[in-house]
Amino acid sequence: MRNGKVALRTEGVWFAYREPDWILKDVSLACSLRNVMMIMGPSGSGKTTLLKVMAGILRPQRGKVEVLGIEIQRGVSRGLRPAIGYIPQQLGLVRSLTALENVLIGALSRISPGRGLLGLFPGHEVEQARAAMDLMGIGHKAREKVFRLSGGERQRVAIARTLLQHPRLVLADEFVSDLDLPRAAEILTLMRQVAEQEDITFVMNMHEVQLVQEFGDQVLMVSNGQVLHECSAQEVNLDRFTEVVQ
Ligand SMILES: Nc1ncnc2c1ncn2[C@@H]1O[C@H](COP(=O)(O)OP(=O)(O)O)[C@@H](O)[C@H]1O
Ligand SMILES: [Mg+2]
């Protein structure tokens, strides 16, 4: 861990979509500020559910979730909401809008209701959106509709949109899993740079061991809704992963 301060903590979290089918069973974890935490585990083990609980999208029946020192298990306050960025596996982009318009959606929490959506963003927000797109290397695609973009470009748009929220914590669900390894590595390199420059903690579900080793700090292995193992990214090895998966 790079420093002692904790960005995200769960204690004894239990979650069921329908009790008593517990999907998360007594999950406790802590992720240090500015770390990249990778969550690994077989399909169906509860990774997406865990991310949603940590984003405040789902409320656990039992246990405690703390983001930046604030308890969120009973809901995320309006003030804290922009600090938590969530990138769903399907990215959640609006395909018929342009890349720039999608990125501006990240600024919505700062726009007063009633201003309407497009064309009404203040100039400084549009500038910020363009800067975030430049940072992600897709400034030249600002006017392109999302449905015309490649998978990697969409990923960059999704990150830029999240950055416009000014998040302190970003939770990303398998968000490079549709890309080939070199492209995934490109995106993760950018993500690490952004994490350092902007002081952001990243937590992501990831199954590529190589990418976990290269881009992660902390690793959490989950299976059947339980944390089986926690280690540093350097300590992850294929054998251990296979053991966990079986
Ligand atoms: N909305 C839902 N309603 C009921 N069960 C769900 C729902 N979403 C996921 N599940 C179940 O929860 C379990 C864990 O799913 P998920 O968190 O998506 O796992 P993972 O991301 O590790 O593949 C699975 O058995 C899945 O069928
Ligand atoms: Mg999932």
Side-chain angles (χ1 to χ4, degrees):
M1 291 192 196
R2 291 210 200 138
N3 79 42
K5 287 201 178 161
V6 169
L8 173 69
R9 185 197 303 280
T10 75
E11 269 174 40
V13 162
W14 289 74
F15 177 85
Y17 290 98
R18 227 170 287 135
E19 288 184 56
D21 296 334
W22 296 104
I23 304 298
L24 301 179
K25 300 163 195 162
D26 197 21
V27 173
S28 298
L29 61 87
C31 179
S32 292
L33 217 51
R34 275 176 240 108
N35 263 10
V36 174
M37 178 186 251
M38 303 286 199
I39 301 176
M40 304 181 81
S43 177
S45 57
K47 302 180 300 296
T48 295
T49 304
L50 177 57
L51 275 197
K52 286 182 175 170
V53 164
M54 297 191 296
I57 298 166
L58 295 173
R59 296 185 188 190
Q61 280 85 353
R62 296 185 217 156
K64 190 163 145 183
V65 184
E66 236 180 65
V67 174
L68 307 167
I70 301 168
E71 287 190 16
I72 64 156
Q73 68 269 24
R74 297 284 155 257
V76 181
S77 66
R78 189 177 283 218
L80 183 65
R81 198 166 298 142
I84 308 174
Y86 178 72
I87 306 178
Q89 187 164 6
Q90 303 309 327
L91 302 179
L93 299 175
V94 184
R95 291 166 54 84
S96 57
L97 294 182
T98 66
L100 179 64
E101 288 162 345
N102 271 277
V103 173
L104 279 165
I105 289 172
L108 270 184
S109 67
R110 293 191 293 276
I111 307 295
S112 50
R115 275 197 77 136
L117 186 55
L118 300 164
L120 294 171
F121 279 93
H124 67 271
E125 296 288 4
V126 177
E127 268 167 42
Q128 267 192 51
R130 288 191 173 278
M133 296 185 81
D134 286 341
L135 185 67
M136 297 308 297
I138 40 152
H140 60 296
K141 296 285 183 179
R143 297 269 163 224
E144 200 73 77
K145 293 265 166 76
V146 160
F147 70 82
R148 289 192 212 283
L149 300 180
S150 71
E153 288 165 347
R154 287 178 197 178
Q155 234 88 18
R156 290 164 196 254
V157 172
I159 301 174
R161 179 195 55 192
T162 305
L163 290 180
L164 219 64
Q165 259 182 256
H166 304 158
R168 303 267 54 88
L169 170 71
V170 173
L171 302 148
D173 198 358
E174 308 253 4
F175 83 137
V176 290
S177 58
D178 294 339
L179 305 179
D180 55 37
L181 268 185
R183 260 174 230 287
E186 255 175 55
I187 300 278
L188 289 167
T189 302
L190 269 172
M191 182 216 69
R192 278 219 77 112
Q193 281 168 9
V194 167
E196 271 152 41
Q197 278 169 25
E198 315 272 322
D199 250 5
I200 297 173
T201 305
F202 274 87
V203 177
M204 56 184 69
N205 295 342
M206 172 81 64
H207 56 251
E208 275 297 340
V209 177
Q210 261 173 283
L211 297 176
V212 166
Q213 285 169 329
E214 193 173 343
F215 296 100
D217 295 309
Q218 291 173 253
V219 177
L220 200 74
M221 290 185 179
V222 299
S223 177
N224 195 21
Q226 290 177 301
V227 177
L228 290 195
H229 185 69
E230 226 183 316
C231 63
S232 72
Q234 292 78 34
E235 290 169 309
V236 171
N237 60 53
L238 269 173
D239 295 341
R240 182 166 277 155
F241 184 58
T242 318
E243 264 169 44
V244 168
V245 167
Q246 278 164 358

